[in-house]
Amino acid sequence: MLLNLPRRVKLVDVGPRDGLQNEKKPVPAAIKIELVHRLQAAGLKEIEVTSFVSPKWVPQMADNAEVMSGITRSEGVRYSVLTPNMKGFESALLSKPDEVVVFGAASEAFSQKNINCSIAESIERFTPVVKAARDAGIAVRGAMSCTVGCPYEGDVAPERVAYLAGLMKSIGIQRVDVADTIGVGTPRKVQAAMEATLKHYALNDVSGHFHDTYGQALANTLASLEMGVWNFQSSIAGLGGCPYAKGATGNVATEDVVYMMQGMGIDTGIDLDALIDAGLFISQALGRQPNSLVSRAVLNKRAG
Ligand code: HMG
Ligand code: MG
């Protein structure tokens, strides 16, 4: 018997950013904008739209300003963008995001590969970003990569997660994502990473960001729910991966998370049918089937 599960969850769809940053072929800005519109129409209240990173490193996000300016914003929806440094923040500011996301890693090797600096240096870079954002009235989230495993270092100890969470807290980052970047986590390991994070952040300020490479993301979501975590990130149609984590597949599909929550009587505020249509839209634009078992099942049922 599962006791005391949250009655509602809040999902951040990271598909437009985490998903589309990983596509080999360029995706037109108009498609990205339409995807954001469909996600908000389906009931998503938080959408991670794009990132202000080096276009040499991640050319897929080079249209960041165009995408942000093309969105017709919906009241009550939070639009977030990734900003790894002041250069990114200054560009992002012109697009008026509601929240900026700095992103660090619990493993040194991943920090170097992803953002070209050590963990300590990353905190130095984030510090002025956090201050400038807060001064401008913009919320700040911190993504913590490799909280369970690292593609370069293997297992990551919970102490490394607690260390990073403590650093993020010390510079004023308001909430954090516990990310399983390469999807190697299993429930107990993910709970240990959550527990380490909860030494520094309140339950309301911690979210789960699980890639589904090994098919464990829903189990890890349930394991986090059991601890009272109620903020999760997921990706429409299971899009995604990280260019600096080879072999890692997308985040858990938003469709799959919503179906599981609905089945457990947990409110998401999301219309599953509209969500499935949004997933179909982006999958067709990319020339493939949605990477979501729930989507496939519902589409088969519709066809039948
Ligand atoms: P760097 O080379 O160390 O930066 O890159 P630099 O300050 O030495 O600058 C070098 C050049 O980049 C300069 O241009 C800068 O102007 C430019 P040049 O003079 O050579 O022409 N530059 C920038 N341009 C645009 N926007 C910027 C910016 N900063 C510098 N913000 C940097 C450092 C972080 C920029 C680089 O390493 C980078 O862009 N990395 C991309 C990392 C990334 O986007 N990774 C994927 C997202 S994270 C993720 O997916 C994980 C997550 O989902 C959670 C999880 O699952 O784990 C969040
Ligand atoms: Mg990710």
Side-chain angles (χ1 to χ4, degrees):
M1 171 100 178
L2 296 166
L3 297 172
N4 298 326
L5 293 185
R7 296 220 174 131
R8 69 178 177 111
V9 293
K10 191 157 206 197
L11 302 183
V12 183
D13 199 293
V14 297
R17 194 282 302 170
D18 200 327
L20 299 181
Q21 77 180 5
N22 213 37
E23 288 299 321
K24 295 214 162 42
K25 281 199 210 145
V27 178
I31 299 281
K32 297 177 179 178
I33 293 164
E34 172 72 16
L35 175 61
V36 170
H37 289 162
R38 284 174 178 257
L39 290 172
Q40 63 196 24
L44 265 302
K45 293 289 180 220
E46 292 202 33
I47 303 173
E48 204 170 86
V49 178
T50 186
S51 45
F52 288 81
V53 296
S54 162
K56 285 186 195 146
W57 284 60
V58 187
Q60 294 88 338
M61 296 285 109
D63 58 1
N64 41 31
E66 187 185 352
V67 173
M68 283 296 281
S69 68
I71 296 168
T72 304
R73 297 195 189 192
S74 176
E75 180 87 25
V77 176
R78 178 179 279 210
Y79 303 90
S80 56
V81 302
L82 268 56
T83 55
N85 52 19
M86 276 309 285
K87 186 175 170 69
F89 176 76
E90 276 156 14
S91 311
L93 192 57
L94 304 172
S95 294
K96 297 190 169 39
D98 299 301
E99 181 175 58
V100 294
V101 184
V102 292
F103 47 105
S107 87
E108 284 292 349
F110 191 77
S111 181
Q112 290 289 353
K113 295 275 186 196
N114 196 38
I115 50 174
N116 205 24
C117 62
S118 68
I119 295 170
E121 285 162 348
S122 76
I123 294 296
E124 278 170 34
R125 290 183 188 182
F126 300 156
T127 303
V129 174
V130 177
K131 181 169 183 337
R134 300 299 306 277
D135 287 350
I138 298 172
V140 185
R141 175 154 55 86
M144 303 195 296
S145 289
C146 299
T147 61
V148 195
C150 167
Y152 310 101
E153 291 181 10
D155 283 352
V156 172
E159 293 71 36
R160 304 296 304 163
V161 181
Y163 172 69
L164 178 63
L167 290 174
M168 286 193 164
K169 184 78 183 181
S170 74
I171 62 167
I173 292 173
Q174 293 164 288
R175 56 182 192 147
V176 286
D177 313 329
V178 176
D180 181 8
T181 313
I182 54 173
V184 289
T186 43
R188 295 277 179 246
K189 287 185 182 175
V190 165
Q191 284 180 334
M194 285 289 174
E195 219 168 78
T197 307
L198 289 167
K199 292 197 165 112
H200 299 282
Y201 280 91
L203 203 49
N204 290 349
D205 297 328
V206 173
S207 70
H209 174 114
F210 307 131
H211 285 263
D212 202 24
T213 318
Y214 286 78
Q216 305 297 303
L218 275 183
N220 293 335
T221 302
L222 183 56
S224 307
L225 267 181
E226 280 183 332
M227 296 176 73
V229 172
W230 61 280
N231 286 280
F232 294 98
Q233 304 182 345
S234 57
S235 184
I236 185 72
L239 299 173
C242 174
Y244 302 101
K246 290 239 168 330
T249 59
N251 293 81
V252 63
T254 309
E255 297 91 319
D256 295 5
V257 177
V258 169
Y259 178 83
M260 183 176 91
M261 298 299 172
Q262 284 186 352
M264 297 173 76
I266 297 172
D267 182 31
T268 62
I270 294 171
D271 174 343
L272 183 58
D273 268 314
L275 190 67
I276 283 172
D277 290 338
L280 195 57
F281 162 78
I282 189 62
S283 301
Q284 283 173 344
L286 299 171
R288 66 170 85 112
Q289 295 294 313
N291 189 18
S292 152
L293 291 175
V294 167
S295 169
R296 280 184 220 168
V298 172
L299 291 172
N300 282 339
K301 206 167 166 189
R302 279 187 197 168

